[in-house]
Structures are given as C-alpha cells and as structure tokens.
Amino acid sequence: MEVLCEFSDDFVAYKCFVNNIEISDPQQIKKFLGEHKVHRTDNDVVSMTFESCKIKTFPRNLTKFYPNLTVIELISCNLKELTKEDLKFYPKLKYLGIVNNRLTHLGSDLFEYTPNIEFIDFSCNLIHSIGPRILDPISNLKQANFSENQHINALYDADDSRFKI
C-alpha cells in the first residue's frame, strides 16, 4: 500500500500529515508518497500525524520510512487498542497523541519501551480503565492528558506533580 503524505515545516518540526484514508493494516504500508520541502528528506521527518483515517491497528513500521520520529498522532482514526508491543518500535518517542479514538483500556505496561515520552494525550476516547502505575516507566513526563473520556477525566502536569480531575 502506498500512502500520500503532505509534508510541512513549521520551524518547530518537519511533519508528514496523512488525512482521510482507510488503512486496514498499517504494517502493509510500503511507501509514503508526496513532495518534500526544499532541502528536506525522510530523515528530517520527526512528526507523523494521521487524521480522520480509518486505522484498525497502531502502525508499527513508521521508523522504516522516518527513522527520526519523535511525535506520533492519530486523531479521529477509530483506533480501539494500543499495547506496549505497538510502541516498542518507537524508543525515541517524545509525544504520543491518540485523540478522539475508541480506546477503552490502557495497560499498566504500555510505556515500558518508551521511557523518554514527555507528553501523552489520550483525550476524547472511551477509556474506562487505566492500569495501575502506568506512568511509572516515564522519567521525563511533563504532561498526560486523559480528559473527556468515558469514565476518566484527568490531566497530569509535572509542574503540579499531581493529577487534576
């Protein structure tokens, strides 16, 4: 499968943006198409966003195309499950945003392979349970957003060192 990527550079990050497609098996992505900005290559891409796509499973092979990814977002993509095995391919991850999807549970070992995450956003899902001590493996966490979920509405901010409910 080939996926069209719209590249953008906002002086903070060089991004690949994918919008409004169905990806039944993200592991079957063979190539990202699109025209890079001047003097930019796949190695410059640090941020990947899928928005309003239909994605059944979390993409595990994005670093094959973009080896320097530190940001992954899936916004309104109907994702129902996320496990530590999905994230193990992204040890450099700094930001993970799974926003307005269909997640219901987050396991306590979710961040075992991504200890460098600084920001996580699971807002606007259907989350009703989070594994105990889920944030313990993350040493540099600055913010965790679990707001507007089915049974959980909380925001962790490192400046306060506590959850706000």
Side-chain angles (χ1 to χ4, degrees):
M1 168 179 216
E2 295 180 341
V3 175
L4 181 62
C5 181
E6 181 181 317
F7 295 100
S8 67
D9 197 346
D10 64 6
F11 302 106
V12 174
Y14 188 53
K15 303 174 183 183
C16 171
F17 181 77
V18 176
N19 187 32
N20 203 25
I21 65 167
E22 184 170 342
I23 304 173
S24 57
D25 184 359
Q27 283 52 261
Q28 295 301 314
I29 296 173
K30 301 292 185 217
K31 187 175 185 179
F32 282 93
L33 305 173
E35 191 170 323
H36 279 289
K37 300 296 179 188
V38 176
H39 305 296
R40 293 294 199 160
T41 69
D42 289 349
N43 287 333
D44 295 316
V45 175
V46 295
S47 179
M48 179 89 218
T49 299
F50 294 90
E51 186 168 351
S52 299
C53 297
K54 291 183 181 174
I55 298 178
K56 291 183 180 180
T57 60
F58 190 82
R60 293 183 176 184
N61 64 345
L62 298 176
T63 54
K64 172 180 163 184
F65 309 101
Y66 308 120
N68 296 308
L69 274 183
T70 58
V71 174
I72 299 175
E73 295 179 297
L74 275 72
I75 303 168
S76 302
C77 291
N78 288 320
L79 187 70
K80 294 180 182 177
E81 183 179 35
L82 183 66
T83 68
K84 74 176 183 177
E85 294 303 315
D86 294 322
L87 297 180
K88 104 186 213 184
F89 302 94
Y90 304 104
K92 297 179 190 177
L93 207 58
K94 299 278 187 196
Y95 175 89
L96 177 66
I98 310 295
V99 177
N100 196 30
N101 282 276
R102 304 188 59 75
L103 296 177
T104 58
H105 172 75
L106 300 174
S108 54
D109 61 354
L110 182 62
F111 298 109
E112 182 177 328
Y113 301 116
T114 53
N116 298 315
I117 282 188
E118 296 177 3
F119 299 92
I120 54 177
D121 189 349
F122 290 110
S123 61
C124 303
N125 279 280
L126 304 172
I127 298 172
H128 56 78
S129 66
I130 295 175
R133 309 186 66 79
I134 187 174
L135 302 178
D136 283 0
I138 307 171
S139 57
N140 296 318
L141 185 65
K142 293 180 175 40
Q143 191 175 74
N145 186 355
F146 299 96
S147 65
E148 299 183 48
N149 278 282
Q150 192 169 24
H151 297 288
I152 296 168
N153 188 22
L155 175 70
Y156 170 82
D157 192 324
D159 292 339
D160 290 343
S161 297
R162 62 189 169 102
F163 272 100
K164 296 177 186 174
I165 299 174

